[in-house]
Amino acid sequence: MSFRDMHSGPCFVMPNAWDPGSAILLADAGFQALATTSAGVAFASGRGDYLVGEAKPLSRAEMFDRVRPITAAVTIPVNGDLEDGYGESPEAVAETVRLAIDAGLAGANIEDQRNGQLYDEELAVERIAAAHEARQGTDFALTARTDVFQLRPDPLEEAARRLNRFHEAGADCLYAPFCDVSALLPQVSGPVNALLGPKDTIAELAAAGVTRISTGGAIARAALGFVRDVAWELRERGTFTLAGAQYPQHDLNTLFAKYAR
């Protein structure tokens, strides 16, 4: 079954990796698919995520330089977090989709905002239509994301309208992070990706009718949080007890050897 066909159901979990090592660890856990996280990739590169106003975000070329080793490291499908498609125009988004396919991605998210500003709705729809046209002849799965819930005070109606129009324009999956999934699902016509939160369970989201579940940048932030905690313990206490949680080197060597190609 292709990654695109997986969006016909049943619900599947797609955790987000940020480098080849994290991708291999997640793939080895038995998931059917993975995604990248633009935030995690940026943080691992010593850069900020543009969503919080970083002055110099990763460029499209830099992002694909980091995505290719991830897709090469695993054999399961990888969905790319491609922000707003790295350009305002439909033509720029179409070129990004073509580059994503060349980079080995099985699908990608395209957002309808940049630096906290939503694209005009008509333009946002044109951008998804261009992405859909660019992936013709492939099994590339197109996810259309709206950030209305982060940027509007009363977002449900607009989010549902945008997502339905994106589905009509060719999107295979719809995504509105930080929404009330139970309120959104009855309002939209296509498969929905849900962002797993600390109070959510996979079973509850699947029962609600979600098709795909992702974790965003949370795993990457948790990993970096562990580094911060180890640094604090070393500096402030002069102890190293957190090192006891480490993955044994022999086991990592064995795992990565299994995935070497």
Side-chain angles (χ1 to χ4, degrees):
M1 178 184 293
S2 73
F3 181 57
R4 189 174 178 185
D5 289 338
M6 287 169 61
H7 292 81
S8 298
C11 178
F12 66 96
V13 180
M14 183 185 74
N16 298 67
W18 59 95
D19 62 11
S22 61
I24 288 171
L25 286 168
L26 292 169
D28 197 65
F31 294 101
Q32 295 174 271
L34 302 179
T36 66
T37 158
S38 63
V41 171
F43 298 151
S45 304
R47 306 272 277 278
D49 182 12
Y50 90 94
L51 287 173
V52 294
E54 168 65 17
K56 190 179 180 182
L58 289 174
S59 68
R60 181 169 67 181
E62 289 174 317
M63 182 61 73
F64 281 126
D65 283 345
R66 290 154 177 80
V67 164
R68 289 186 193 93
I70 295 174
T71 62
V74 296
T75 58
I76 59 176
V78 179
N79 185 76
D81 178 356
L82 299 183
E83 303 185 344
D84 72 331
Y86 299 99
E88 177 177 343
S89 71
E91 293 78 15
V93 176
E95 178 62 16
T96 294
V97 168
R98 288 189 285 268
L99 291 170
I101 294 169
D102 289 343
L105 289 171
N109 298 352
I110 300 294
E111 302 169 11
D112 66 351
Q113 67 90 21
R114 184 174 182 82
N115 291 330
Q117 297 295 320
L118 284 168
Y119 284 114
D120 172 80
E121 188 171 318
E122 295 302 323
L123 176 58
V125 173
E126 291 173 10
R127 286 158 42 83
I128 295 302
H132 170 58
E133 180 64 27
R135 61 83 180 266
Q136 289 302 303
T138 74
D139 286 325
F140 189 85
L142 176 61
T143 297
R145 165 176 160 168
T146 183
D147 283 295
V148 169
F149 281 90
Q150 296 161 269
L151 301 171
R152 296 281 201 255
D154 189 18
L156 181 59
E157 181 179 349
E158 182 178 357
R161 185 180 66 246
R162 282 182 176 244
L163 291 174
N164 285 328
R165 295 190 67 188
F166 295 160
H167 190 225
E168 292 171 1
D172 301 295
C173 187
L174 309 173
Y175 181 28
F178 310 110
C179 73
D180 178 348
V181 172
S182 62
L184 180 67
L185 279 168
Q187 307 297 320
V188 297
S189 58
V192 170
N193 179 94
L195 180 66
L196 188 66
K199 296 182 179 179
D200 298 320
T201 70
I202 293 169
E204 289 171 345
L205 290 173
V210 166
T211 298
R212 191 178 83 187
I213 299 170
S214 60
T215 59
I219 301 175
R221 289 190 295 269
L224 290 171
F226 178 77
V227 174
R228 176 202 59 193
D229 292 346
V230 169
W232 182 88
E233 183 189 358
L234 279 169
R235 180 68 180 83
E236 299 300 322
R237 293 184 177 176
T239 59
F240 198 36
T241 59
L242 288 171
Q246 64 186 289
Y247 204 131
Q249 180 162 327
H250 175 270
D251 294 347
L252 282 172
N253 286 343
T254 301
L255 174 64
F256 292 142
K258 182 172 75 172
Y259 280 81
R261 286 190 273 170

